[in-house]
Amino acid sequence: EDKVVQSPLSLVVHEGDTVTLNCSYEVTNFRSLLWYKQEKKAPTFLFMLTSSGIEKKSGRLSSILDKKELFSILNITATQTGDSAVYLCAANFGNEKLTFGTGTRLTIIP
Amino acid sequence: DAGVIQSPRHEVTEMGQEVTLRCKPISGHNSLFWYRQTMMRGLELLIYFNNNVPIDDSGMPEDRFSAKMPNASFSTLKIQPSEPRDSAVYFCASSYDRGRSTEAFFGQGTRLTVV
C-alpha cells in the first residue's frame, strides 16, 4: 500500500530559528512529491519535486527530494510567526491521485 | 480565476438527514478530487474524477456516500443518511492533467457537523 509519513508530528520553535520538516514515502510508480501549507483553511501549494538533488526555493523556504532514499525535506530559515501552519507532504503515484501524510504542525513563538 | 468554489462553507445537520456538498472546479481543469479531513486521519482522498468520469472511488467509506460530476464545471458529494462520525471538513480540489504531474488546487472546504 502506498504510504506517506511525515515527521515530526508537531514542532514548536522561536522566531528566527531554522526548521527542517521530513517526509518519507513508500511507493510504486512514484511520479512526484508535493508540499502544501495549511493555515486555517485550504491547503496552499508550495513546491512540486520530481527529480533528485534539485533544490526548489521560494524566499525562506526550500525543498529537496532524494528518490534513492525515498524522502524529502522542507527547510524554513529565519522563521516568522506567519510560518505557523500545518505542512502537508503528498506523493503522486503514477496517476492524478495524491496521497497525503498526516502533516507537521509548526508553531512559531514570537 | 476565482479558484475552486465550494458550497456551503458550513453545514450543521441532524443524524439521518441527507447532505449535499457542491464544488465548482477551476475552469479548464480536467481532474477533480474530493477529500475529507479530520484530526485523527488527516486528509483522505474519497474519490477522483478525470474528464467527468470517476476513476478511483476506493476511498469512499461506505454506500452512504456518493459523488457525481455531471459536467466539467460541477460536482456533488452526497451523504445519505448522515451520521455523527461523518463530521469533518470536506475539500474539493482540481488540477489539469497534462500527462505529467501537476499540483492540485483546493477549495476553502465545507465544514460538516452532524449532530
Side-chain angles (χ1 to χ4, degrees):
Chain A
E1 182 184 333
D2 298 326
K3 191 164 63 171
V4 177
V5 178
Q6 292 188 246
S7 64
L9 291 182
S10 66
L11 189 56
V12 180
V13 300
H14 288 96
E15 201 168 20
D17 288 351
T18 293
V19 297
T20 299
L21 310 183
N22 303 294
C23 176
S24 64
Y25 57 93
E26 295 176 17
V27 60
T28 53
N29 300 318
F30 174 82
R31 197 171 176 184
S32 63
L33 189 134
L34 293 85
W35 285 96
Y36 285 83
K37 177 183 181 181
Q38 185 176 26
E39 296 175 85
K40 294 192 176 179
K41 298 180 181 177
T44 53
F45 173 75
L46 294 175
F47 298 112
M48 180 168 69
L49 304 156
T50 55
S51 301
S52 280
I54 299 175
E55 185 182 50
K56 294 266 182 117
K57 289 197 72 155
S58 176
R60 296 175 294 102
L61 277 66
S62 64
S63 184
I64 198 161
L65 174 68
D66 185 328
K67 290 169 75 172
K68 183 179 176 185
E69 300 297 329
L70 307 184
F71 78 90
S72 174
I73 59 172
L74 175 67
N75 279 319
I76 310 175
T77 59
T79 52
Q80 303 171 357
T81 54
D83 296 327
S84 294
V86 174
Y87 289 84
L88 296 164
C89 169
N92 181 300
F93 297 126
N95 51 37
E96 279 299 299
K97 192 165 75 169
L98 289 177
T99 299
F100 280 84
T102 52
T104 294
R105 181 173 295 278
L106 176 65
T107 304
I108 309 298
I109 300 172
Chain B
D1 197 312
V4 177
I5 299 173
Q6 291 186 247
S7 64
R9 295 291 303 278
H10 302 273
E11 176 81 35
V12 181
T13 191
E14 290 186 340
M15 183 173 66
Q17 296 298 305
E18 177 180 297
V19 175
T20 299
L21 312 181
R22 296 172 175 80
C23 176
K24 178 178 172 12
I26 292 173
S27 177
H29 281 188
N30 60 356
S31 291
L32 182 140
F33 310 84
W34 282 101
Y35 286 90
R36 177 173 66 177
Q37 188 175 40
T38 61
M39 288 290 292
M40 294 296 294
R41 299 172 70 94
L43 261 173
E44 301 174 280
L45 178 67
L46 300 177
I47 186 171
Y48 86 95
F49 295 86
N50 185 259
N51 293 322
N52 311 339
V53 176
I55 303 299
D56 185 343
D57 65 354
S58 59
M60 296 286 261
E62 46 197 275
D63 291 345
R64 298 184 296 107
F65 285 69
S66 62
K68 293 182 180 179
M69 191 164 186
N71 57 61
S73 59
F74 184 65
S75 178
T76 59
L77 177 69
K78 185 178 293 186
I79 309 172
Q80 166 63 21
S82 57
E83 296 182 4
R85 61 192 167 119
D86 301 331
S87 297
V89 179
Y90 290 81
F91 286 104
C92 175
S94 71
S95 68
Y96 179 47
D97 179 9
R98 293 174 290 230
R100 63 176 191 273
S101 193
T102 185
E103 67 269 27
F105 295 85
F106 283 76
Q108 293 300 297
T110 295
R111 182 174 293 278
L112 173 64
T113 304
V114 183
V115 298

